[in-house]
Amino acid sequence: MSRVLVIDDSPMLLELTVRALTAAGYEAIGAPDLATLNQKLTEGPFALILMDVNMPEMFGDDVVEYLRTVKGVTSKLVLYSDISEQELEAKVKNSGADGYILKSGGLEGVLGGVMGLIGAPAPAAPATGSGGLPKAPMAAGGRKPRILIVDDSEMTARIIEADLVSKGFEVHVADTADKATKIILKKQTRPDLVLLDVRMPNVNGEQFCRFIKSNSLFKGIKVLLCSGENVEELQRICREAGADGYIPKDAVMGNLVAKELMPPGAE
């Protein structure tokens, strides 16, 4: 498995980037500072090191030079920042880095950049009853179970999407109820389950859940509310909108959804 080390002093960005890379199939590890970076380097080689430019202790391009000349690191070294692309290109040239990734490109930009530099991760071994990723149960007709993620946060949706795709699900994403409706209306994209954010602009999750549950055409679709709302509020919405349940956004999405889609009695 390709190993990637991510260095960023922002705890939120560090966690999201590591989670996205892990969901895509890489062995991703995070380091919030230079002390942790030095410690991680002793744990084995990395195919790529993603280095935030604006670190409090030392600029990322200086760290690149340090890793090359002092530590003798042979990994791909990539600068990661929200500064202008022109400035970032100059830092890459001066430091000897192998490339750069713009933070403005979001997690999709990170995944695309990493794949472009070290290739796609090797596919995970099929699940065999113990260890490894859970294998998605087959839906009716022998196809993959189909999940629709409805969330106006692209970052959240893409993290969940990458995790579920890696576990064998067919996943569609919509950032509004209107786009989600178009996906549900088409038989070839109609989901078995909808992961529905509660707080969205225009038509919110509660209203959209009612729409799905009141339409006989969609009677086979399960709806799980996926939200950071408090438990009491989620329970109320589940009762009043007819949702099949709820899961917190910070839960392990893939395992919970896989369990939800398992036929009764399946282990």
Side-chain angles (χ1 to χ4, degrees), residues 10-24:
S10 166
M12 184 185 72
L13 283 178
L14 183 62
E15 180 182 356
L16 289 173
T17 305
V18 167
R19 286 178 61 185
L21 289 167
T22 300

Side-chain angles (χ1 to χ4, degrees), residues 81-101:
S81 181
D82 53 8
I83 62 176
S84 72
E85 188 166 7
Q86 184 178 6
E87 187 178 356
L88 200 48
E89 286 178 343
K91 286 183 178 293
V92 166
K93 183 178 180 180
N94 293 333
S95 67
D98 296 287
Y100 65 87
I101 296 174

Side-chain angles (χ1 to χ4, degrees), residues 146-164:
R146 191 177 294 140
I147 298 173
L148 171 61
I149 300 168
V150 187
D151 198 312
D152 62 327
S153 167
E154 180 183 0
M155 183 175 290
T156 299
R158 293 305 176 188
I159 290 173
I160 301 171
E161 178 190 22
D163 188 36
L164 292 174

Side-chain angles (χ1 to χ4, degrees), residues 15-251:
E15 180 182 356
L16 289 173
T17 305
V18 167
R19 286 178 61 185
L21 289 167
T22 300
Y26 295 97
E27 182 183 344
I29 298 169
D33 51 43
L34 296 184
T36 309
L37 164 62
N38 281 320
Q39 176 191 336
K40 297 301 180 185
L41 289 174
T42 66
E43 298 175 3
F46 291 90
L48 183 144
I49 297 176
L50 187 62
M51 183 76 225
D52 182 26
V53 169
N54 292 318
M55 295 289 289
E57 303 148 297
M58 184 185 290
F59 289 120
D61 44 328
D62 293 329
V63 177
V64 166
E65 292 187 50
Y66 164 76
L67 292 176
R68 283 278 192 248
T69 59
V70 178
K71 288 292 187 179
V73 170
T74 58
S75 311
K76 294 278 187 181
L77 299 177
V78 181
L79 295 178
Y80 181 46
S81 181
D82 53 8
I83 62 176
S84 72
E85 188 166 7
Q86 184 178 6
E87 187 178 356
L88 200 48
E89 286 178 343
K91 286 183 178 293
V92 166
K93 183 178 180 180
N94 293 333
S95 67
D98 296 287
Y100 65 87
I101 296 174
L102 293 167
K103 285 189 177 182
S104 59
L107 293 174
E108 284 185 295
V110 172
L111 291 175
V114 170
M115 286 183 185
L117 285 160
I118 62 174
T128 57
S130 64
L133 293 171
K135 186 177 180 181
M138 298 305 290
R143 63 170 175 79
K144 293 180 179 180
R146 191 177 294 140
I147 298 173
L148 171 61
I149 300 168
V150 187
D151 198 312
D152 62 327
S153 167
E154 180 183 0
M155 183 175 290
T156 299
R158 293 305 176 188
I159 290 173
I160 301 171
E161 178 190 22
D163 188 36
L164 292 174
V165 168
S166 73
K167 289 173 169 63
F169 295 94
E170 177 186 334
V171 182
H172 297 266
V173 176
D175 59 2
T176 65
D178 286 343
K179 292 178 182 178
T181 300
K182 292 177 182 177
I183 292 171
I184 291 176
L185 286 172
K186 293 179 182 178
K187 189 174 181 181
Q188 61 268 36
T189 57
R190 188 170 299 155
D192 302 294
L193 183 143
V194 176
L195 275 178
L196 182 58
D197 184 27
V198 172
R199 300 300 172 199
M200 295 193 303
N202 300 322
V203 179
N204 64 33
E206 184 173 355
Q207 294 167 323
F208 191 56
C209 181
R210 286 199 181 99
F211 164 73
I212 294 173
K213 290 300 183 179
S214 65
N215 193 320
S216 60
L217 184 65
F218 309 141
K219 63 181 180 180
I221 300 176
K222 289 187 176 182
V223 178
L224 291 183
L225 303 176
C226 180
S227 177
E229 294 285 335
N230 63 65
V231 173
E232 291 78 12
E233 178 66 4
L234 286 173
Q235 289 175 339
R236 180 196 68 77
I237 297 173
C238 279
R239 287 194 307 269
E240 297 182 7
D244 296 281
Y246 64 88
I247 50 178
K249 281 189 176 178
D250 58 357

